[in-house]
Amino acid sequence: MTLLAHGLGAVRDLPVPLWLFFYGAGVVLIVSFVALGALWKRPQLAQRAAGRPLGPRWQRILLGPELRIVLGALSFGVFVLVFAAATFGDESVSTNLAPTFVWVVFWLGFVPLVVVLGNVWAVLNPWRAAADAVAWSTRRAGWNWAPPLAIPERVGRWPATVLLFLFTSLELAYADSAEPRTLAVAIAIYSWITWLGMAAVGRESWLRHGEAFNVYFGLLARLAPFAVREIDGRRVVVVRTPIARLALREDVAGTLPFVAVMLGSVAFDGFSRTTWWQERVFSIESRLVIDHPTLSELAVTGFNMVGLIGAVAVVALIYLLAVEGARLASGQRGSLAEEFLGSLVPIALAYAVAHYFSLLVLQGQVTWRLVSDPFGFGWDLFGTRDYQPRLDILSPNLIWYVQVGALIVGHVLGLTLAHDRAVALFRRPGLALRTQYAMLVLMVAYTVGGLWLLWNG
């Protein structure tokens, strides 16, 4: 990708040595663990997950059909514009709206939105908006479509996991992922799969199990203070304690692989920027690029995909080892893998913030210029074509401090969720604390590993 780099360069003038950041992060986690063990004797979060309904006026505004129709139509219009720009616009990444919109505005920009406001993707999903419009039109015409298939319970979120992995593979393994024509093909394929899936198993079922972005933003939205839930068969907007929903048991097949892709893809992004990985990529290219350029591209893409799979597998394996340690400490017979999955979601958010917030802030500014000329044809629809982003608003040191802070806060939240779940599960505070020693090691490993990737990436 030729978009702006994730940061402004390496940090080499920190006021304290690098090793102090590593030790400091570990100390914060250990102190948090001790404080949780001493002060958090009963479950506090799970009982607050239900939340308190907002007033009737807000219910009418937020859940009324008018807002959903307007936002759905707007999102579908933007979707068509981006797809048209990718298909017919200028092929330059720097002048075409599609690359910046897909990889920055959509993929990164929606993260803070859902974390603060809840799962707004549910009403801004253009694929859902189009499917809802088709369903409404067919019902008006007197034809009701009955999905011929159903997703088995054992399949769960595996379809969404596969699609998220393919999306991150396009982003991280394929060298031309920002090319407009590449994005046009990817959008067309994903749209075809999504609408076919909705027709085959039903809109709601595919959204819950197969639509990768709906699952992705939905999991992150569980950190938010707002949510929509059913009360007495009626959808209601509620306000709740942030992160409380993540304290509940997650019992949907494929969720661990999905979260492992969320975490592992960002970890691989950092690792792929290290000198060690870049040297191996260069070694592959140098042997093939002159005589077999197509083979060289395929070999590098395949090599990157192997690395991505390895990163996802390592994330999942470390988590499984930690919960196995918790199981052994508790003496339980069954697996505890589903019990503590919620603790990984704030860590996935922390990794995303640490790696990408500077890209969102810096490259996101370019959107103001591109919306005036989305196709790169020399237009100036809104008078912003000559807008120049301010690249001096983030210094390398500021980026580093935000990255460290995000990782520490994310892992402390992960520890808190795991401890709350353990107290609810095992009832006895002493036993619950013993089961969390392995989770503490997990959090320290993730934190130190994340800092190492940020420093060396």
Side-chain angles (χ1 to χ4, degrees), residues 12 37 104 228 279 290 304 306 308 322 338 404 433 437 453:
R12 292 293 183 267
V104 180
V228 176
E279 286 175 350
I290 296 178
N304 284 330
V306 170
L308 177 58
E338 292 81 12
V404 173
L433 185 63
Y437 292 147
L453 290 173

mmCIF file of all heavy atoms in Angstrom, residues 12 37 104 228 279 290 304 306 308 322 338 404 433 437 453:
data_model
loop_
_atom_site.group_PDB
_atom_site.id
_atom_site.type_symbol
_atom_site.label_atom_id
_atom_site.label_comp_id
_atom_site.label_asym_id
_atom_site.label_seq_id
_atom_site.Cartn_x
_atom_site.Cartn_y
_atom_site.Cartn_z
ATOM 1 N N ARG A 12 13.514 7.316 18.783
ATOM 2 C CA ARG A 12 14.851 7.013 19.299
ATOM 3 C C ARG A 12 15.316 8.008 20.360
ATOM 4 O O ARG A 12 16.447 7.946 20.810
ATOM 5 C CB ARG A 12 15.869 7.023 18.142
ATOM 6 C CG ARG A 12 15.656 5.874 17.154
ATOM 7 C CD ARG A 12 15.945 4.531 17.796
ATOM 8 N NE ARG A 12 15.809 3.430 16.858
ATOM 9 C CZ ARG A 12 14.708 2.725 16.690
ATOM 10 N NH1 ARG A 12 13.631 3.020 17.390
ATOM 11 N NH2 ARG A 12 14.653 1.739 15.820
ATOM 12 N N GLY A 37 -7.472 -9.098 42.872
ATOM 13 C CA GLY A 37 -7.595 -10.200 43.814
ATOM 14 C C GLY A 37 -7.990 -9.746 45.208
ATOM 15 O O GLY A 37 -8.735 -10.447 45.914
ATOM 16 N N VAL A 104 -9.009 3.103 5.354
ATOM 17 C CA VAL A 104 -8.874 4.061 6.456
ATOM 18 C C VAL A 104 -10.240 4.449 7.031
ATOM 19 O O VAL A 104 -10.528 4.185 8.198
ATOM 20 C CB VAL A 104 -8.103 5.316 5.998
ATOM 21 C CG1 VAL A 104 -7.971 6.314 7.146
ATOM 22 C CG2 VAL A 104 -6.728 4.933 5.477
ATOM 23 N N VAL A 228 -28.425 -2.364 21.651
ATOM 24 C CA VAL A 228 -29.823 -2.691 21.366
ATOM 25 C C VAL A 228 -30.051 -4.134 21.782
ATOM 26 O O VAL A 228 -29.306 -5.028 21.375
ATOM 27 C CB VAL A 228 -30.145 -2.510 19.868
ATOM 28 C CG1 VAL A 228 -31.586 -2.943 19.586
ATOM 29 C CG2 VAL A 228 -29.930 -1.074 19.436
ATOM 30 N N GLU A 279 13.782 -8.958 5.142
ATOM 31 C CA GLU A 279 14.922 -9.603 4.492
ATOM 32 C C GLU A 279 14.507 -10.902 3.801
ATOM 33 O O GLU A 279 14.982 -11.218 2.702
ATOM 34 C CB GLU A 279 16.018 -9.886 5.526
ATOM 35 C CG GLU A 279 16.767 -8.640 5.969
ATOM 36 C CD GLU A 279 17.769 -8.948 7.075
ATOM 37 O OE1 GLU A 279 17.735 -10.088 7.618
ATOM 38 O OE2 GLU A 279 18.584 -8.059 7.403
ATOM 39 N N ILE A 290 12.986 -10.996 -11.664
ATOM 40 C CA ILE A 290 13.457 -10.651 -13.011
ATOM 41 C C ILE A 290 12.933 -11.632 -14.057
ATOM 42 O O ILE A 290 12.352 -11.237 -15.080
ATOM 43 C CB ILE A 290 14.999 -10.599 -13.038
ATOM 44 C CG1 ILE A 290 15.501 -9.473 -12.125
ATOM 45 C CG2 ILE A 290 15.489 -10.383 -14.468
ATOM 46 C CD1 ILE A 290 17.005 -9.378 -12.042
ATOM 47 N N ASN A 304 3.638 -14.408 2.835
ATOM 48 C CA ASN A 304 2.963 -13.542 3.795
ATOM 49 C C ASN A 304 1.739 -14.226 4.402
ATOM 50 O O ASN A 304 1.456 -14.074 5.597
ATOM 51 C CB ASN A 304 2.543 -12.234 3.127
ATOM 52 C CG ASN A 304 3.703 -11.280 2.918
ATOM 53 O OD1 ASN A 304 4.656 -11.278 3.694
ATOM 54 N ND2 ASN A 304 3.644 -10.485 1.869
ATOM 55 N N VAL A 306 1.332 -17.415 4.878
ATOM 56 C CA VAL A 306 1.824 -18.393 5.852
ATOM 57 C C VAL A 306 2.168 -17.689 7.159
ATOM 58 O O VAL A 306 1.850 -18.179 8.257
ATOM 59 C CB VAL A 306 3.037 -19.150 5.291
ATOM 60 C CG1 VAL A 306 3.701 -19.984 6.391
ATOM 61 C CG2 VAL A 306 2.625 -20.049 4.132
ATOM 62 N N LEU A 308 0.850 -14.895 8.242
ATOM 63 C CA LEU A 308 -0.409 -14.470 8.850
ATOM 64 C C LEU A 308 -1.084 -15.627 9.565
ATOM 65 O O LEU A 308 -1.562 -15.481 10.705
ATOM 66 C CB LEU A 308 -1.327 -13.896 7.767
ATOM 67 C CG LEU A 308 -2.727 -13.453 8.206
ATOM 68 C CD1 LEU A 308 -2.649 -12.405 9.296
ATOM 69 C CD2 LEU A 308 -3.509 -12.928 7.001
ATOM 70 N N ALA A 322 -3.268 -20.638 28.280
ATOM 71 C CA ALA A 322 -3.638 -19.904 29.486
ATOM 72 C C ALA A 322 -4.922 -20.457 30.100
ATOM 73 O O ALA A 322 -5.005 -20.660 31.325
ATOM 74 C CB ALA A 322 -3.804 -18.419 29.170
ATOM 75 N N GLU A 338 -14.373 -21.032 26.115
ATOM 76 C CA GLU A 338 -15.448 -20.080 25.823
ATOM 77 C C GLU A 338 -15.674 -19.098 26.968
ATOM 78 O O GLU A 338 -16.277 -18.041 26.764
ATOM 79 C CB GLU A 338 -16.752 -20.820 25.531
ATOM 80 C CG GLU A 338 -16.757 -21.629 24.250
ATOM 81 C CD GLU A 338 -16.071 -22.979 24.414
ATOM 82 O OE1 GLU A 338 -15.805 -23.365 25.585
ATOM 83 O OE2 GLU A 338 -15.775 -23.629 23.391
ATOM 84 N N VAL A 404 1.744 2.770 23.716
ATOM 85 C CA VAL A 404 2.000 2.105 25.001
ATOM 86 C C VAL A 404 0.770 2.189 25.890
ATOM 87 O O VAL A 404 0.356 1.192 26.509
ATOM 88 C CB VAL A 404 3.223 2.736 25.704
ATOM 89 C CG1 VAL A 404 3.386 2.158 27.108
ATOM 90 C CG2 VAL A 404 4.486 2.495 24.888
ATOM 91 N N LEU A 433 -8.833 -16.520 42.027
ATOM 92 C CA LEU A 433 -7.548 -15.843 41.857
ATOM 93 C C LEU A 433 -6.481 -16.808 41.356
ATOM 94 O O LEU A 433 -5.677 -16.454 40.483
ATOM 95 C CB LEU A 433 -7.124 -15.214 43.183
ATOM 96 C CG LEU A 433 -5.853 -14.358 43.132
ATOM 97 C CD1 LEU A 433 -6.057 -13.153 42.230
ATOM 98 C CD2 LEU A 433 -5.456 -13.903 44.532
ATOM 99 N N TYR A 437 -3.683 -16.854 37.459
ATOM 100 C CA TYR A 437 -2.236 -16.701 37.310
ATOM 101 C C TYR A 437 -1.820 -16.897 35.849
ATOM 102 O O TYR A 437 -0.995 -16.153 35.313
ATOM 103 C CB TYR A 437 -1.503 -17.703 38.199
ATOM 104 C CG TYR A 437 -1.646 -17.448 39.680
ATOM 105 C CD1 TYR A 437 -1.667 -18.508 40.588
ATOM 106 C CD2 TYR A 437 -1.757 -16.156 40.177
ATOM 107 C CE1 TYR A 437 -1.802 -18.283 41.952
ATOM 108 C CE2 TYR A 437 -1.889 -15.930 41.535
ATOM 109 C CZ TYR A 437 -1.913 -16.999 42.416
ATOM 110 O OH TYR A 437 -2.050 -16.760 43.768
ATOM 111 N N LEU A 453 6.734 -5.540 18.930
ATOM 112 C CA LEU A 453 6.340 -5.382 17.531
ATOM 113 C C LEU A 453 6.275 -3.916 17.142
ATOM 114 O O LEU A 453 6.693 -3.541 16.032
ATOM 115 C CB LEU A 453 4.984 -6.046 17.292
ATOM 116 C CG LEU A 453 4.959 -7.584 17.338
ATOM 117 C CD1 LEU A 453 3.522 -8.085 17.250
ATOM 118 C CD2 LEU A 453 5.793 -8.158 16.190
#
